[in-house]
Amino acid sequence: EIVLTQSPGTLSLSPGERATLSCRASQSVSSSYLAWYQQKPGQAPRLLLYDASSRATGIPDRFSGSGSGTDFTLTISRLEPEDFAVYYCHQYGSSPRTFGQGTKVEIK
Amino acid sequence: QVQLQESGPGLVKPSETLSLTCTVSGGSISSYYWSWIRQPPGKGLEWIGYIYYSGSANYNPSLRSRVTISVDTSKNQFSLKLSSVTAADTAVYYCARHPHRSSAIDYWGQGTLVTVSS
């Protein structure tokens, strides 16, 4: 099983600042089959990025993803008020599918 | 626009079987993979397993001995059964879709809270 470790656990930032979230895998993620999701309280996760760097439909271009192998990054270039949420990475290249434990982006 | 809706009991007794159904609307259940994912209160996400519309399934080894996922294409539904539940199975259960075996989950249901308690 591939274990995904996200860091930091919590990121305290102000609107307009840049957010950099990390996801490290215990072994190489096949074909960069890694996605990022945003989850707000009481809501289902929403797909932001898939295949490490491809934006899902309707996702603004302030969200970007990079990485391969075992190290992946989600960057939010300028935080908007609606971006404060919990973010999860998810690998779907190996079974079982696994998720990181989440990074909470909170308002400073 | 594809929509997924979970349904089933919100309270299950310990040692009994949790049963949930996901109804897919706005699109066909055919040609896609359908997963169940759960999230204990205040915690992270755990993938339970998926089923292909043809009926082939794949389960998380951590739950394999207790899980069955089935599909009913005539009703555009798929279902989850989790046996011998304990308090540790208390969670929000989500149904979800992914276009291929190895593709990101693109649609999620709203989730349903199942509490295991006597």
Side-chain angles (χ1 to χ4, degrees):
Chain A
E1 169 174 324
I2 295 179
V3 177
L4 299 177
T5 302
Q6 293 187 238
S7 61
T10 302
L11 201 48
S12 299
L13 295 168
S14 300
E17 290 194 293
R18 181 184 188 91
T20 303
L21 287 67
S22 172
C23 178
R24 179 161 291 178
S26 61
Q27 53 189 285
S28 184
V29 175
S30 173
S31 303
S32 294
Y33 285 153
L34 186 116
W36 290 93
Y37 294 89
Q38 177 193 69
Q39 188 178 36
K40 296 180 179 179
Q43 296 184 14
R46 176 175 73 139
L47 177 64
L48 300 175
L49 299 158
Y50 62 94
D51 295 350
S53 60
S54 297
R55 270 188 299 276
T57 303
I59 301 303
D61 60 7
R62 65 179 181 274
F63 292 92
S64 63
S66 63
S68 64
T70 61
D71 289 296
F72 298 86
T73 300
L74 167 67
T75 301
I76 310 171
S77 59
R78 287 177 57 85
L79 283 164
E80 297 288 340
E82 63 267 27
D83 299 336
F84 292 92
V86 178
Y87 293 83
Y88 293 96
C89 58
H90 166 53
Q91 70 80 22
Y92 45 93
S94 301
S95 187
R97 291 171 168 247
T98 52
F99 292 87
Q101 82 280 16
T103 289
K104 181 179 183 180
V105 179
E106 65 176 21
I107 300 176
K108 185 174 181 180
Chain B
Q1 177 80 344
V2 173
Q3 292 187 314
L4 292 78
Q5 180 66 58
E6 305 89 351
S7 59
L11 180 64
V12 181
K13 290 182 168 56
S15 79
E16 295 190 344
T17 296
L18 178 160
S19 296
L20 295 174
T21 296
C22 182
T23 301
V24 179
S25 59
S28 173
I29 203 167
S30 297
S31 302
Y32 290 98
Y33 289 80
W34 305 92
S35 272
W36 287 97
I37 295 119
R38 68 181 183 177
Q39 184 171 36
K43 296 188 178 181
L45 299 157
E46 179 182 32
W47 175 74
I48 299 170
Y50 69 64
I51 192 162
Y52 190 44
Y53 79 102
S54 64
S56 64
N58 184 26
Y59 303 132
N60 192 322
S62 68
L63 297 167
R64 182 174 290 143
S65 64
R66 299 195 290 130
V67 172
T68 302
I69 299 176
S70 59
V71 63
D72 186 338
T73 54
S74 67
K75 294 182 179 179
N76 240 31
Q77 294 177 334
F78 63 106
S79 299
L80 168 71
K81 290 189 186 299
L82 181 65
S83 64
S84 305
V85 297
T86 68
D89 295 310
T90 294
V92 174
Y93 286 76
Y94 294 101
C95 59
R97 187 193 88 164
H98 39 111
H100 308 290
R101 185 182 61 184
S102 292
S103 66
I105 293 166
D106 57 359
Y107 284 96
W108 297 68
Q110 66 185 26
T112 188
L113 175 62
V114 179
T115 302
V116 178
S117 175
S118 56

